[in-house]
Structure formats: C-alpha cells, structure tokens
Amino acid sequence: MRIDAEPYEYDLDLKSAALLIIDMQRDFLEPGGFGEMLGNDVGQLRRTIEPIRALLAAWRQAGGLVMHTREGHRPDLADLPPAKRIRGRGITCIGDAGPMGRILVRGEVGHDIIPELYPAAGEPVIDKPGKGAFFATDLHAILRNRGISQIVVTGVTTEVCVNTTVREANDRGYDCLVVADCCGSYFPEFHEMGLRMVKAQGGIFGWVAPSRAVIQALRDVTS
Ligand code: TIU
C-alpha cells in the first residue's frame, strides 16, 4: 500500500503496522490538567481530535492494530523524577489535586484518554512515565511479539512525546510514518519544526504524510 509521503513514498504493510495514538489524555487536552499546569493553552491541541478520529475509524475498519499511550505516574509517585515534579514552578505540581483528580497520576480521570478516542476492547494501552513510549514500558516487546515493524504515529505533542517516541522507535529499527494533521503542539511553530526534523536529511527519523493520504490508501484496500 503506497502512501504519498515526505521525503518519499511510504510502503505500508498493514499486517506489519500499528497505529500508535500518543497521550490523547484529558490531562493534555482539557482545562485543569498537566498541560494547563505548565502554562499552556490546551485549545491548541483539540484540532487533532477530529483527524485522529477519522483515521482511527478507517484503521479499525481495515483491521489494523491500534495502540494507545498515556503519560503518567504511580499513585505513590515513586517513578517521578524530582525535577519533573516541580516542572513549571507553578502553584500545582504533578500528583497534586486538580479538577480532574491528581495531576498526571494513573487511575485519575485526567490521566485517561479523551472519550472521543477511547480505546476499544483489545487495543493495548501503554502507560509510560516519560516522554518516549519505549522508555520503561513493554511497547517494544508487544510490537515484536506481534511482528510489527512499521508505526503510524499520531498524538500530542509533536515536539515532545511524538518526537521522542519516533526517535526511540527509529533507533530500534521501526519505520515511522508521522501523520501531520493528527499531531499537535501548544506551539504551532514547534509543531512545524517537529515535523520538519523527522523528514529532513532524506527522512532521518521517518516519514510525514497528511491523514487523507493514509485514509485513501486504507480505503483502497478495504473497498
Ligand atoms: N508539555 C508537552 O508539550 N508535552 C508533554 O509534557 N507530554 C507529551 O507530549 N505527551
């Protein structure tokens, strides 16, 4: 399945591919969570919801593997680096009570994935303590056990968790296709540069394509 991508076409093999949806959690996309705690306008990220929803529907329809990640920490905060706890130096810190429960803590309402993109039964959810989805998680083992070598990457934020994960994946030998309009940042210029960094130098970390190119390819195989 050829997808029109940059810097050149991406040859998607659905049986060897996973759609990875990174950190589409209330804590990043709704007021009162971690994103706002850091001083960000969470409205910047919400434009990604509809494109991801459409791609997710097409991917599920085609029978592809879907995986989700969530950034967050143990309720006892034993896995939280001290510098990360006070990041932003605001009034509230990770682990403090907020309107959606304790900020960035597993099991709290704010930590969970937004209802629009909620995981379906059987779709693996990876809980990660860091920015990269491979650090201190079983993502690599799950992908290998399922014979996955290609990752179609979506989610937030482009220059933080998406870029970190793509770099980790690239060094582990995965071919990453980043879906441009399905990623977002609190800073539009960082989003733009985050995508450019992936596809520069002949695709130094991977490929970039718009969701319409991926959805079109999926429709061609399912019709
Ligand atoms: N702050 C910011 O842009 N992002 C994060 O802290 N985590 C993710 O990107 N998920």
Side-chain angles (χ1 to χ4, degrees), residues 22-23 28 34 38 40 71 128 131 156-157 159-162 186:
I22 296 179
D23 299 359
F28 292 102
F34 182 59
L38 295 171
N40 298 306
E71 179 178 347
K128 62 189 184 63
K131 305 307 181 194
V156 296
T157 60
E159 80 281 14
V160 182
C161 292
V162 171
Y186 300 116

Side-chain angles (χ1 to χ4, degrees), residues 2-215:
R2 283 157 57 138
I3 295 176
D4 195 10
E6 291 182 291
Y8 52 88
E9 71 188 28
Y10 185 87
D11 192 11
L12 179 69
D13 171 17
L14 201 56
K15 294 185 307 303
S16 308
L19 174 66
L20 186 64
I21 305 179
I22 296 179
D23 299 359
M24 291 297 286
Q25 300 161 252
R26 292 177 188 257
D27 255 317
F28 292 102
L29 289 130
E30 295 183 6
F34 182 59
E36 199 171 75
M37 183 201 103
L38 295 171
N40 298 306
D41 169 14
V42 295
Q44 285 287 345
L45 303 187
R46 298 194 64 84
R47 61 159 189 79
T48 62
I49 298 173
E50 188 48 36
I52 299 178
R53 201 199 52 68
L55 176 58
L56 176 59
W59 194 272
R60 282 174 175 158
Q61 175 81 20
L65 173 65
V66 179
M67 296 187 70
H68 308 256
T69 71
R70 300 184 296 199
E71 179 178 347
H73 295 277
R74 295 161 48 108
D76 65 6
L77 306 183
D79 59 352
L80 177 61
K84 183 177 179 184
R85 194 180 78 80
I86 57 166
R87 201 79 83 200
R89 296 208 163 169
I91 305 156
T92 44
C93 297
I94 294 173
D96 289 351
M100 296 189 289
R102 296 178 66 204
I103 290 172
L104 223 60
V105 170
R106 294 176 187 166
E108 302 289 335
V109 171
H111 175 262
D112 211 356
I113 292 169
I114 57 171
E116 295 91 327
L117 302 174
Y118 210 74
E123 292 177 355
V125 178
I126 304 291
D127 278 326
K128 62 189 184 63
K131 305 307 181 194
F134 288 86
F135 171 69
T137 72
D138 42 19
L139 176 60
H140 191 45
I142 294 174
L143 293 172
R144 285 189 22 172
N145 290 338
R146 296 193 184 214
I148 301 297
S149 59
Q150 300 185 330
I151 310 177
V152 175
V153 187
T154 65
V156 296
T157 60
T158 315
E159 80 281 14
V160 182
C161 292
V162 171
N163 253 260
T164 306
T165 299
V166 167
R167 289 164 189 233
E168 287 181 326
N170 179 60
D171 278 346
R172 286 166 176 78
Y174 296 96
D175 289 341
C176 290
L177 173 67
V178 179
V179 189
D181 51 318
C182 291
C183 297
S185 169
Y186 300 116
F187 307 92
E189 68 274 30
F190 290 174
H191 170 72
E192 195 55 40
M193 287 300 164
L195 297 178
R196 283 177 62 182
M197 280 188 242
V198 169
K199 66 187 178 188
Q201 303 183 61
I204 192 86
F205 296 122
W207 289 256
V208 177
S211 60
R212 70 180 139 69
V214 186
I215 289 171

